[in-house]
Amino acid sequence: MKAIHNVTPIFPMDSDKKSPKSRVLLKMDCYQPVGSFKIRGVGHLCQSVYADGARHLISSSGGNAGYAVAYAGRELGMKVTVVVPSTTPEAVRDKIRLLGAEVTVHGDVWDEANQYALSLSHDKDAAYVSPFDDPLLWEGHATMIDEAVSQCEKPDVVICSVGGGGLLCGIAEGLHRNSWEDVPIIAVETEGAASFYRSVEAGKRVQLDEIKTVASSLGAKQVTEKALEWYANHPIIPHLVSDKSAVQACLNFADDYRVLVEPACGASLSLIYENPAVIQPFQTILVIVCGGIGGDLKKFQQWKDTFSL
């Protein structure tokens, strides 16, 4: 069966946007048909459960994963139910509905929406699609590294954003299956959604008391256990940035490349624009431009006002 996701390009970043000592490569997964990397793993998982006989997809998502499930379901001719928390903007809910999915609102945060989605997935023809915690998702996300191996030289580091940890796990898997296992990953979170950072700090998986960030798609109170397993077996550098830095990076990226990504993606891009000490040891830097549908011009204007940008 043909993959649902697209092969995406890698662009070298203009030299005046970064440290003159480094070469920055942008893996443009914002160019996926759903606007984010999520379709890689979600598409792979949905195709797998379809082959196993499922005909109803049930997911929980604050936006990007649910949109990807709705798209995959439409491509496969499957019924789709997406449970979103109340914090998911109405504009995002409408985008999911436009793909033919049923949208149910439950709870104030993703964790509450997820519990409800799990309770709906017991019918024999239904399959639960996790937004980040499934080996098939990680296997699908790893395809971005499969592509990178044929698109660019081996990087000295990969930068990615972390929410629940699905992208992080996929990148680590991709690096190992392509013999790039010595390439470190900088795992970037915003300060108000730092479940991976706090877990590494504590030496065990922890659950945050609350999510407080404009990068809402990073808002999992607890990362997948697999992310910590990878931390123990792969060089991963956790890093935190402010919401202000994430939003400013989105605005800079829109000016530079005419592409609007959400603050969850801006978190990673902010390292390039701000050039913190964490990236200075590396000469060739591969940034996963993960994209996202959680931002429009009206919201960015509000964020500009909030952060006085």
Side-chain angles (χ1 to χ4, degrees), residues 51-75:
D52 289 339
R55 294 297 180 266
H56 182 188
L57 301 170
I58 298 174
S59 186
S60 59
S61 170
N64 292 315
Y67 193 55
V69 174
Y71 180 87
R74 188 184 69 176
E75 294 298 294

Side-chain angles (χ1 to χ4, degrees), residues 251-270:
L251 297 172
N252 292 342
F253 195 69
D255 284 342
D256 294 340
Y257 294 97
R258 286 75 58 195
V259 175
L260 189 65
V261 297
E262 67 177 41
C265 180
S268 286
L269 291 169
S270 71

Side-chain angles (χ1 to χ4, degrees), residues 129-246:
V129 181
S130 170
F132 60 82
D133 196 7
D134 190 297
L136 289 170
L137 287 175
W138 311 328
E139 189 176 276
H141 295 332
T143 57
M144 68 180 65
I145 302 300
D146 297 340
E147 294 169 12
V149 167
S150 65
Q151 291 174 319
C152 68
E153 68 268 34
K154 182 179 178 180
D156 298 314
V157 69
V158 177
I159 298 175
C160 73
S161 298
V162 178
L167 176 58
L168 174 62
C169 292
I171 290 171
E173 181 173 328
L175 292 173
H176 280 251
R177 77 186 189 193
N178 286 284
S179 300
W180 281 5
E181 65 274 358
D182 58 332
V183 176
I185 303 169
I186 300 178
V188 189
E189 296 168 288
T190 54
E191 292 161 349
S195 56
F196 179 67
Y197 188 98
R198 300 305 175 201
S199 294
V200 169
E201 191 176 53
K204 62 180 180 180
R205 193 164 66 133
V206 301
Q207 182 166 313
L208 301 178
D209 293 332
E210 64 176 348
I211 298 296
K212 194 173 183 180
T213 179
V214 299
S216 58
S217 60
L218 300 183
K221 288 186 176 181
Q222 193 172 50
V223 293
T224 173
E225 185 68 43
K226 187 65 176 181
L228 292 183
E229 290 179 19
W230 274 118
Y231 180 76
N233 293 287
H234 186 88
I236 299 176
I237 305 165
H239 187 76
L240 298 183
V241 301
S242 67
D243 278 1
K244 181 177 182 179
S245 292

Side-chain angles (χ1 to χ4, degrees), residues 3-8 28-40 67-68 71-72 74-75 99 293:
I4 294 176
H5 70 267
N6 291 341
V7 174
T8 57
M28 299 292 285
D29 250 46
C30 52
Y31 287 167
Q32 292 292 349
V34 297
S36 82
F37 78 96
K38 288 284 189 180
I39 194 60
R40 290 182 182 272
Y67 193 55
Y71 180 87
R74 188 184 69 176
E75 294 298 294
L99 292 178
I293 61 169

